[in-house]
Amino acid sequence: MSARYLKKVLKQQEHNQFHEINDGDGDGDGDDDDKEEQLNENEIQSNSFINPFDLLNDEISPQEDDEFETVDETIHEHKQDNSHQEDELGSVDETLRATIDEENQPSKTNNKKSKKKKRKKTKEVSSSITGKAKESLDVQLDSLSLKEKSSGPLNGKSETDLPLLLQVDPKYLNVENELIRIFGSKVVKSFEKKNPAGSSRHARGGRRPTRHSKKTSLTSPSHHWPAWNGSFSMEFLETKNGIHYFRYVDTPSYSQAQRAFQAAKSVHDLNSIASILVHHPYHLDSILTMAEYFKFVGEHQASADAIAMCLYALECAWHPTFTPFQNNCQLKFSEETNKPMFTALFAHMRYLDRRGCHRSALEVCKLLLSLDSDDPMGALFCVDYYALRAEEYAWLENFCEHYNTDSYLSLFPNFSYSLAICRLYLEREVPENEKSSSNDIMKQALMLHPSVIKKLVAKVPLKDQAWTRILENSFFGSEQKMIPSLDHLINIYVERCYLIWRLPDVQKLLRDSALSVLEDLEHSRDDAKDWACVRDEAFSSEKNEYGHLLVQDFSDSMPNLPPDNLQNFMVDPRMHIGDQNVNPFEEGDVPAPLDIENRNPLATLIELIPWMQYVDDDVEEAHEDIHTNNDHDHGQSNDE
């Protein structure tokens, strides 16, 4: 028995004996004694009651730990040689015996005296224990520096809490949970009954449903997905400045599938890619290619399922120490094996946005920013949009103030305008604030990026007569000096955030600020010249530094028709090919692709699904079956 446990047992014994004394008391005491007894009883019960689970979680200060070690040594020496320290422990027993003897005495006077002594002793014990507990708590608070709250700008965050800005809350990654928060559980359940998760083509045949024991945070596995086969894994590289770096590693069989994919991609052969998925169902590049194809033919749900399947495999391969939600791990985009992670997350983020799950999209965007500080996917230029749609105004303002980047975020067109909208809604929550008003921030954004307003008026569109007057002014209406990087970022911002400007309150803020800017320009144009110098200094490069970010990747519009030429479908749009009429098969070095150009794309789509058996009917019958809810049985395989 440890000294700490012995001490608590002795206290419990004192508590029990005190109750026995009270039970043996007569009714002769006065009202004052009864009240005093009741108060003391409550104090004793609150101080001496022992929760058994507290014995597991008690934290001992260094001073108390030394006392317990001394008591342990005393008990050990007592067992060995019955030394003089036995009297110290025996004194406690004598006190208990004396209390019991006094209890057995018939005299009421003695009973009262014993009770008073007992009360005094209990108070001394409880006060000493309480004092020690407070002392140890103060020491712990001082060591953790938690005694005083940090005085950060928002939410109590300071510069030491910068990693908290990009920490991801896994509970917001679940799409079903957010849909329930938005629409309610009854609406979601009724929708699921009308539209079951598994489509009819999954239920017709193919592979048997598989139970997935591994729980993932990024997505929930579907019953028709194959079990995770460990095609690739993740390895730890190094630790720099508190950041752990990892990368994905392929197995030999996966590397062989990757070579087959590259060969199929070079000849634009979708059927070969589908055959790769039959043998390697979690080949990432093949899944992403099929997801892109599903998107082009209008099968958006199938595309989203493919992206979710890709993320499931990527999360299953995580290293045990890989904790990306804590913003302390990174995957460099320069590593070839890490690129599917970024591509899948970006596509998943856009899918969440289309479903209206803006808080989940914000969490995925934060994850993209934390995985690589270089931001290869351009998540920095849509995080403000998702924060505004999710009504995370305080987080967005704090993010703009403290996020580490080469230049101030407020210089970018998306943040300069989004901060004004953010401040507009924060002013409603806290009317009196020392920070700049939303009108002042909007005026600064208009002076810094005046060409945004003309594109917003055309995109939203804004048809009020006041906008005609505003655009007639040369400051807003004339074309500004072309800066490739800035012009590209403005196009991305307008394409991504134009929906926010359809709100009446936001339009009023923009209109009033623009009119105020025009009034200021009538008196002096010095401010306009100063902001022009700031703009030229911030975007000094003559090249488009953000050319790798496509405007269409930030657009809400989705293609509904397949490409006219399926061979060009697999060409990366970021690659600018000089002569697109060159036939790569003229020299005969590369075999011709399979003949799928003249076939119906939806019929081809059915054959490309890796977990389905191929149909044995001709193309016209397959096309007819799709539009008649797939009444024909496609269980037989095709031996083409």
Side-chain angles (χ1 to χ4, degrees), residues 292-307:
E292 194 73 9
Y293 181 79
F294 290 148
K295 182 181 69 174
F296 270 102
V297 299
E299 290 282 342
H300 301 301
Q301 184 59 47
S303 177
D305 291 342
I307 294 297

Side-chain angles (χ1 to χ4, degrees), residues 438-455:
S438 57
N439 189 43
D440 293 336
I441 299 176
M442 182 62 74
K443 288 173 62 177
Q444 293 176 6
L446 290 170
M447 298 287 283
L448 182 60
H449 305 294
S451 59
V452 171
I453 194 170
K454 183 177 181 179
K455 296 182 178 181

Side-chain angles (χ1 to χ4, degrees), residues 332-350:
K332 281 301 180 182
F333 187 77
S334 55
E335 295 283 349
E336 192 68 27
T337 54
N338 293 340
K339 291 182 179 180
M341 180 72 169
F342 292 87
T343 306
L345 283 175
F346 191 83
H348 186 57
M349 178 181 66
R350 295 184 63 192

Side-chain angles (χ1 to χ4, degrees), residues 109-245:
T109 305
N110 293 336
N111 286 338
K112 292 181 180 179
K113 289 182 180 179
S114 63
K115 283 190 287 184
K116 289 181 180 179
K117 289 181 181 179
K118 185 62 182 175
R119 291 171 195 160
K120 184 177 181 182
K121 189 161 195 173
T122 307
K123 286 182 180 179
E124 292 176 357
V125 173
S126 62
S127 61
S128 62
I129 295 174
T130 306
K132 290 181 180 179
K134 289 181 179 178
E135 230 178 85
S136 63
L137 182 61
D138 291 338
V139 172
Q140 293 174 2
L141 291 176
D142 290 337
S143 62
L144 295 174
S145 300
L146 295 176
K147 232 179 167 182
E148 296 181 359
K149 294 182 180 179
S150 57
S151 56
L154 285 172
N155 298 333
K157 293 181 181 178
S158 64
E159 293 184 0
T160 57
D161 299 323
L162 291 182
L164 298 177
L165 290 174
L166 294 180
Q167 280 192 359
V168 178
D169 194 342
K171 70 179 180 181
Y172 291 110
L173 293 174
N174 192 305
V175 181
E176 287 74 17
N177 290 344
E178 182 161 3
L179 291 175
I180 291 174
R181 286 195 299 269
I182 297 173
F183 302 105
S185 59
K186 293 183 179 179
V187 176
V188 174
K189 289 180 180 178
S190 63
F191 178 80
E192 289 177 350
K193 289 180 181 178
K194 296 179 182 178
N195 302 277
S199 61
S200 59
R201 64 171 176 263
H202 294 153
R204 283 200 306 267
R207 302 186 177 181
R208 294 180 179 179
T210 306
R211 291 186 178 180
H212 299 268
S213 57
K214 185 176 179 60
K215 182 179 180 181
T216 55
S217 300
L218 294 176
T219 184
S220 300
S222 183
H223 67 276
H224 63 268
W225 293 354
W228 168 241
N229 55 7
S231 300
F232 50 89
S233 60
M234 180 182 285
E235 69 175 359
F236 170 76
L237 295 178
E238 58 181 352
T239 301
K240 287 183 179 180
N241 300 324
I243 302 297
H244 311 295
Y245 293 88

Side-chain angles (χ1 to χ4, degrees), residues 252-264:
S253 60
Y254 189 91
S255 300
Q256 183 179 1
Q258 184 67 17
R259 289 191 293 270
F261 170 80
Q262 295 295 338

